[in-house]
């Protein structure tokens, strides 16, 4: 199976360790993973902020880059949701591009979908002897319906103690450009999310999206609070 | 002729500014959190017990989609049936015209006061204000609307207009502003309800005119339906001689049988009840029983304009249950007034800008994190998150000719992100640009303060710096090393 890793722009620039973790996980399972050098971004920020015309060149580039792979895996619920839910409508005026997108969609996976649904693995032999809590990010939960896939993977990690997060299904307040367009409301939501995290007494907060974790981690550090934010892929690779 | 709506559909300030004001009220936030979570939990309980809930939602969605497709025919059918049954039907293009019609109708009766049933549509057109300036006193009879009216405030929730007040605040409003309320009134719900009951009873018995909205209008029969909890509506619908109903053209359902679906969906989604206490239906005039003159004002006010947008038109399917408000984390913090419109919350953020034209309400589609909680509870399956993104697109398109800092940044980023060489160069430039900062911070990779416009981010959270080595750089370096190792020592390379 010809598998490509779409690391996402945020991970590439700020969280390379998450991409490295995905490579390690897949190679450990005996899979060859390719990282197309042409890859950049999915265009989510443009599309979600209303800049459809500006999103189009980015979308075209994404489709060109990942055409021809059997599977495209990304460690981000949000970027995969962009491809799966927004691409079809954004490209519908261009039949050729629409056909390419339709072909690409069913082969684009968030990491936990790929591991469980495609590879059929749940135990990655990882060990992470820490108290952790998990925040299900909105696009993973509601747009992709990941369900408990990430938790299923984490349940096999040796030594990991998972503490339930109160109000876990509530948005952390990031919302892409929402965080800077509506900083006051975003900050209020973040405040409540941080309080819920601190209540768990966890040492680590895990999620499927580093963008949300940047927001949450930034809020925790602002309060000089202890819990550290880590993408769940890094825990699975540990 | 302007196709868009007027009335209480926009506020003086952009959402983010208005929300900032509301966020500074801790009591408000506490009241909202408590109330929304209570209704949210109740809704979940009674929805979970319906085995065919998903099919009901799909039916509701399908019926409303059909109404959208056949609206002109259905409206004419409704008018014919209502007139046949003895009602008088009026057509209002916008809020001003609707207010003129209703004011004229009340004046024609010679009455100087009217009792009102809780109605979003009459709030939308600012009817109370119009009546007042014509010398007519309008009395709200729904308990929550009464509280809001006495406080000279605006509703902040579709179902619970006074959700922003708690019991103590309501007691104070009654003591100070309700005629005949005792100074010793406590904040016990029974006492508050009794005080309102005594006050309202006098109004019901003397009123000659009642004004209502409608939850549903049945095209086949010309029947109007009001769904309520308190029974005040039933009093208004039966005692006065004249009944005037202001009905948005989106309230139509094709046939009586369609109510079967909506009368299951609405109470469970809205109050979290299996069934609402009072469902009133009336068809024109019944001689010797109830109001002998019934008027129906069919209101457009931007609905036709909304219908013309193939993606946005699903907002017209809304049955005003307010389930989306009660699960919305943004609504919970900002409150209803921040939206500036009588329709707040997620549904308001897609209805108001479509009724007014998106240029008049451009901040509302951005009043959401796109978390999608609203989509999951909507009883008619409106894809609110999708419409929000669509309306953001319309807001951006509307200003295509003006060059803002945001547009320049977006264009630049699009140019960078659509080409890997430019992307790589930009990444390295970003790292070089932040290198002095990184050196200054030593091992720390986060920043506490950034200059404008990034200060919006650091106002409540630290910001991360680009990594010293990007993932793609790591990949290329380690693959090159691996290849070199394989070339240098093939057997070792293969087994590593």
């Amino acid at each position: 199976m010809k598998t490509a890793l779409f690391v996402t722009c945020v991970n590439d620039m700020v969280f390379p360790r998450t991409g490295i973790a995905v490579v390690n996980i897949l190679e450990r399972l005996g899979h060859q993973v390719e990282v197309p050098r042409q890859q950049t971004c999915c265009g989510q920020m443009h599309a979600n902020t209303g800049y459809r015309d500006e999103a189009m060149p980015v979308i075209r580039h994404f489709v060109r880059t990942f055409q021809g792979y059997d599977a495209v895996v990304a460690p981000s619920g949000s970027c995969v949701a962009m491809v799966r839910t927004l691409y079809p409508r954004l490209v519908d005026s261009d039949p050729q591009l629409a056909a390419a997108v339709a072909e690409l969609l069913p082969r684009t996976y968030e990491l936990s979908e790929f591991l469980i649904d495609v590879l059929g693995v749940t135990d990655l032999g990882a060990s992470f002897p820490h108290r952790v809590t998990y925040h299900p990010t909105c696009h993973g939960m509601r747009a992709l319906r990941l369900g408990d896939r990430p938790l299923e993977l984490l349940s096999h990690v040796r030594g990991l103690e998972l503490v339930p997060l109160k109000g876990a299904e509530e948005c952390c307040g990031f919302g892409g450009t929402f965080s800077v367009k509506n900083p006051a409301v975003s900050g209020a939501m973040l405040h409540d999310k941080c309080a819920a995290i601190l209540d768990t007494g966890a040492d680590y907060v895990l999620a499927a999206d580093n963008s949300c974790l940047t927001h949450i981690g930034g809020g925790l550090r602002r309060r000089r609070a202890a819990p550290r934010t880590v993408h769940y892929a890094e825990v699975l690779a540990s | 002729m302007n196709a868009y709506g007027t009335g209480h559909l926009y506020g003086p300030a952009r959402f983010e500014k208005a929300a900032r004001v509301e966020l500074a009220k801790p009591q408000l936030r506490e009241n909202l959190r408590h109330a929304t979570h209570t209704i949210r939990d109740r809704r979940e309980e009674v929805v979970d017990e319906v085995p065919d809930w998903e099919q009901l939602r799909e039916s509701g969605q399908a019926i409303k989609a059909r109404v959208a497709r056949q609206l002109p025919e259905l409206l004419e059918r409704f008018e014919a049936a209502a007139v046949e049954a003895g009602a008088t039907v009026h057509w209002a293009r916008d809020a001003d015209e609707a207010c003129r019609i209703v004011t004229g109708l009340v004046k024609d009766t010679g009455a100087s006061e009217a009792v009102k049933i809780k109605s979003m549509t009459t709030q939308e057109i600012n009817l109370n204000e119009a009546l007042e300036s014509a010398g007519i006193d309008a009395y709200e009879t729904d308990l929550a609307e009464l509280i809001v009216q006495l406080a000279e405030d605006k509703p902040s929730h579709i179902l619970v207009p006074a959700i922003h007040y708690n019991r103590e605040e309501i007691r104070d409003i009654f003591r100070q502003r309700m005629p005949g309320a005792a100074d010793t009134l406590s904040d016990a719900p029974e006492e508050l309800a009794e005080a309102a009951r005594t006050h309202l009873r006098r109004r019901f018995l003397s009123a000659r005119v009642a004004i209502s909205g409608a939850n549903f209008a049945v095209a086949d029969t010309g029947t109007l339906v009001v769904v309520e909890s308190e029974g005040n509506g039933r009093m208004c619908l039966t005692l006065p001689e004249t009944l005037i109903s202001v009905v948005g053209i989106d309230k139509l359902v094709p046939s009586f049988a369609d109510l079967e679906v909506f009368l299951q969906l609405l109470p469970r989604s809205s109050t979290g009840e299996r069934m609402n206490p009072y469902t009133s239906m009336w068809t024109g005039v019944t001689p010797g029983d109830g109001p002998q003159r019934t008027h129906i004002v069919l209101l457009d006010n931007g609905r036709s304009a909304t219908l013309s947008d193939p993606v946005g038109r699903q907002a017209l399917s809304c049955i005003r249950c307010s389930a989306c408000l009660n699960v919305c984390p943004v609504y919970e913090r900002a409150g209803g007034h921040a939206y500036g419109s009588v329709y707040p919350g997620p549904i308001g953020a897609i209805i108001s800008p479509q009724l007014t034209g998106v240029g008049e309400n451009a901040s509302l589609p951005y009043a959401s994190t796109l978390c999608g909680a609203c989509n999951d509870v909507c009883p008619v399956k409106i894809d609110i998150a999708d419409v929000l993104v669509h309306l953001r697109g319309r807001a951006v398109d509307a200003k295509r000719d003006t060059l803002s800092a945001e547009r320049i940044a977006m264009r630049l980023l699009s140019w960078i992100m659509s080409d890997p060489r430019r992307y790589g160069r930009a990444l390295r430039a970003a790292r070089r640009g932040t290198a002095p900062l990184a050196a200054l911070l030593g091992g720390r990779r986060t920043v506490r303060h950034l200059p404008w416009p990034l200060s919006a981010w650091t106002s409540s959270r630290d910001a991360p710096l680009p990594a010293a080595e990007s993932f793609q750089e790591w990949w290329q370096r380690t693959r090159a090393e691996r290849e070199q190792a394989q070339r240098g020592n093939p057997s070792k390379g293969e087994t590593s």
Side-chain angles (χ1 to χ4, degrees):
Chain A
M1 183 163 46
K2 204 169 162 218
T3 307
L5 168 61
F6 170 48
V7 72
T8 81
C9 59
V10 168
N11 288 330
D12 184 36
M13 292 188 279
V14 189
F15 303 98
R17 281 199 313 219
T18 299
I20 296 170
V22 178
V23 171
N24 288 343
I25 290 168
L26 294 177
E27 289 192 342
R28 193 190 292 168
L29 291 169
H31 290 275
Q32 196 120 65
V33 59
E34 291 180 37
V35 178
R37 278 187 82 153
Q38 303 291 309
Q39 66 176 284
T40 55
C41 164
C42 66
Q44 178 173 206
M45 187 182 70
H46 288 98
N48 274 355
T49 313
Y51 289 85
R52 299 183 276 208
D53 292 352
E54 286 77 6
M56 285 314 291
V58 187
I59 293 174
R60 275 178 209 288
H61 179 70
F62 180 92
V63 174
R64 257 198 315 271
T65 304
F66 290 101
Q67 254 172 347
Y69 285 95
D70 299 320
V72 180
V73 186
S76 163
S78 199
C79 303
V80 174
M82 163 71 185
V83 175
R84 206 175 287 167
T85 63
L86 273 184
Y87 272 23
R89 226 209 27 253
L90 288 167
V91 304
D92 68 357
S93 58
D94 180 339
Q96 217 179 340
L97 186 59
V101 164
E103 219 236 323
L104 190 59
L105 286 200
R107 293 181 286 108
T108 307
Y109 305 94
E110 189 276 333
L111 177 66
S112 68
E113 294 176 316
F114 187 67
L115 291 173
I116 296 177
D117 303 348
V118 180
L119 302 184
V121 237
T122 50
D123 187 349
L124 293 149
S127 166
F128 196 76
H130 300 283
R131 197 176 160 89
V132 310
T133 193
Y134 183 80
H135 168 63
T137 50
C138 302
H139 288 166
M141 178 170 43
R142 300 198 185 88
L144 300 182
R145 306 278 173 201
L146 292 183
D148 60 359
R149 283 184 186 83
L151 293 177
E152 168 74 19
L153 294 167
L154 289 170
S155 72
H156 294 279
V157 175
R158 317 296 185 268
L160 182 140
E161 184 198 350
L162 185 76
V163 191
L165 178 63
K166 197 166 171 253
E169 72 293 339
E170 264 199 40
C171 177
C172 67
F174 171 60
T177 50
F178 177 84
S179 59
V180 289
K181 281 180 176 283
N182 282 286
V185 181
S186 174
M189 291 165 70
L190 174 62
H191 177 275
D192 294 344
K193 183 57 75 179
C194 287
I197 290 167
L198 291 177
D199 276 349
T200 64
D203 304 316
Y204 291 89
V205 192
L206 314 182
D209 282 276
N210 274 328
S211 48
C212 307
L213 284 177
T214 306
H215 171 74
I216 294 171
L220 288 170
R221 268 188 292 278
R222 178 57 52 92
R223 304 160 147 233
R224 306 197 185 286
R228 294 184 50 196
T229 48
V230 181
H231 193 286
Y232 79 89
E234 293 176 42
V235 171
L236 296 182
S238 60
Chain B
M1 175 67 60
N2 193 347
Y4 291 119
T6 53
H8 184 197
L9 292 169
Y10 31 63
R14 291 175 63 81
F15 177 80
E16 58 272 19
K17 235 175 142 179
R20 203 181 286 276
V21 175
E22 300 298 309
L23 276 165
K25 303 173 184 167
Q27 181 67 58
L28 171 75
R29 273 176 75 181
E30 188 44 45
N31 296 353
L32 278 172
R33 172 189 272 276
H34 176 74
T36 54
H37 281 254
T38 305
I39 313 176
R40 181 193 299 190
D41 294 346
R42 218 157 54 194
R43 176 207 160 271
E44 198 171 331
E45 219 168 279
V46 299
V47 161
D48 283 352
E49 66 186 22
V50 181
D52 59 347
W53 184 253
E54 281 311 307
Q55 287 95 318
L56 276 172
R57 291 177 80 204
E58 278 158 26
S59 304
Q61 181 186 34
I63 295 167
K64 283 292 189 172
R66 183 179 150 210
V67 170
R69 280 197 304 276
Q70 305 177 339
L71 193 57
E73 300 93 294
L74 291 175
L75 280 169
E76 284 175 6
R77 198 190 304 168
F78 174 81
E79 181 186 31
V83 168
E84 170 76 26
T88 311
V89 174
H90 312 258
W91 299 82
R93 198 171 281 120
D94 58 19
D96 293 339
E97 194 172 11
C99 285
R100 267 201 308 278
I101 293 169
V102 176
T103 308
L105 290 171
V106 179
K107 276 188 168 168
D108 287 349
T109 67
S112 60
E113 56 179 49
V115 286
K116 280 191 69 206
I117 304 177
K118 176 178 166 9
S119 142
M120 295 304 295
T121 313
T122 58
Q123 291 282 7
E124 173 189 327
I125 62 174
N126 283 328
L127 181 60
N128 291 2
E129 289 79 355
L131 290 170
E132 197 188 320
S133 56
I136 300 159
D137 293 321
Y139 298 110
E140 294 290 351
T141 64
D142 171 80
L143 180 55
E145 288 286 7
L146 173 66
I147 295 163
V148 170
Q149 189 182 34
L150 288 173
E152 294 178 35
D153 199 356
K154 289 279 186 189
S156 71
H157 188 282
I158 290 174
L159 170 74
V160 202
I163 196 168
H164 53 295
Y165 292 122
N166 64 15
R167 276 171 15 201
E168 293 91 66
E169 291 168 317
I170 293 166
R171 175 202 59 202
D172 293 345
I173 292 167
F174 277 14
R175 277 190 191 168
Q176 288 157 18
R177 293 167 179 251
M178 194 161 73
D183 292 339
T184 52
L185 189 68
S186 84
D187 65 356
E190 311 79 57
E191 267 195 53
L192 294 174
E194 186 53 38
R197 192 176 287 131
T198 311
H199 167 73
L200 289 172
R201 184 74 32 148
R202 286 193 294 272
R203 304 280 183 225
F204 292 133
L205 293 176
S206 63
R208 288 162 50 207
V209 179
I211 298 169
S212 83
N215 291 94
F216 305 101
V218 182
D220 280 352
T221 57
T223 304
L224 292 182
V225 184
V226 161
V227 173
E228 51 144 352
S229 296
E230 296 169 7
N232 299 327
R234 181 67 60 83
M235 302 286 269
C236 296
L237 292 170
T238 47
L239 292 173
E241 299 149 14
T242 303
L243 172 61
I244 304 165
S245 307
V246 184
V247 182
I249 55 173
D250 51 327
K251 295 298 174 69
L252 281 182
V253 295
S255 70
F256 211 82
D258 297 319
L259 292 175
E260 181 253 355
V261 172
F262 295 108
L263 292 179
Q264 291 186 73
L265 288 171
L266 183 54
R268 287 181 199 260
S269 300
S270 158
T271 51
E273 292 170 301
R274 295 188 177 98
M275 196 177 177
N276 49 291
Y278 295 88
T279 302
S280 302
M281 304 186 186
W282 69 100
T283 308
V285 172
T286 307
D289 185 11
Q292 294 302 293
R293 277 184 300 274
T294 59
H295 293 273
I296 301 167
V297 182
L298 291 170
L299 175 75
D300 188 311
N301 209 34
R303 286 161 177 78
S304 293
T306 306
L307 190 64
S308 69
D309 182 330
V311 179
R313 69 168 61 124
Q314 54 185 308
L316 294 176
S317 305
C318 173
I319 56 171
R320 309 286 189 264
C321 73
S322 68
C324 61
L325 277 61
N326 299 328
V327 298
C328 178
V330 174
Y331 175 86
E332 182 187 324
R333 271 100 190 157
H337 291 153
Y339 295 79
S341 161
V342 70
Y343 303 113
I347 189 66
I350 64 168
I351 286 185
S352 311
Q354 295 202 83
L355 293 180
T356 61
V358 82
E360 297 295 324
N361 250 325
S363 69
L364 286 186
Y366 293 94
S368 164
T369 63
L370 306 177
C371 82
C374 46
N375 283 23
D376 283 1
V377 297
C378 179
V380 289
K381 296 187 81 165
I382 301 171
D383 192 341
I384 297 176
D386 194 48
V387 178
L388 283 167
V389 173
H390 171 73
L391 293 177
R392 290 176 184 190
R394 274 180 56 186
V396 166
D397 289 347
K399 290 196 192 161
R400 197 135 282 286
D401 301 328
T402 49
L403 214 55
S404 62
E406 182 182 281
R407 183 179 300 279
I408 294 168
M410 287 290 181
R411 286 209 179 139
L412 183 67
L413 272 172
S414 167
W415 183 74
I416 290 170
M417 290 300 194
S418 52
D419 183 288
R421 285 178 308 271
R422 293 197 283 263
Y423 170 79
R425 277 200 290 275
L427 172 60
R428 288 188 290 278
R431 197 159 46 215
R432 270 200 306 280
T434 52
L437 200 55
L440 206 67
L441 291 168
R444 237 179 63 217
R445 309 269 336 146
T446 56
V447 192
R448 293 179 74 84
H449 301 287
L450 286 170
W452 185 89
L454 296 170
S455 52
W457 175 272
T458 50
S459 62
S460 51
R461 29 191 146 33
D462 290 6
L465 289 174
E469 182 182 47
S470 76
F471 170 77
Q472 295 208 56
E473 287 164 346
W474 170 85
W475 173 263
Q476 274 140 37
R477 177 174 61 79
T478 52
R479 293 311 111 163
E481 284 168 8
R482 197 183 276 190
E483 273 171 33
Q484 206 162 27
Q486 280 171 350
R487 271 200 301 275
N489 187 346
S491 61
K492 194 180 162 197
E494 272 160 26
T495 55
S496 71

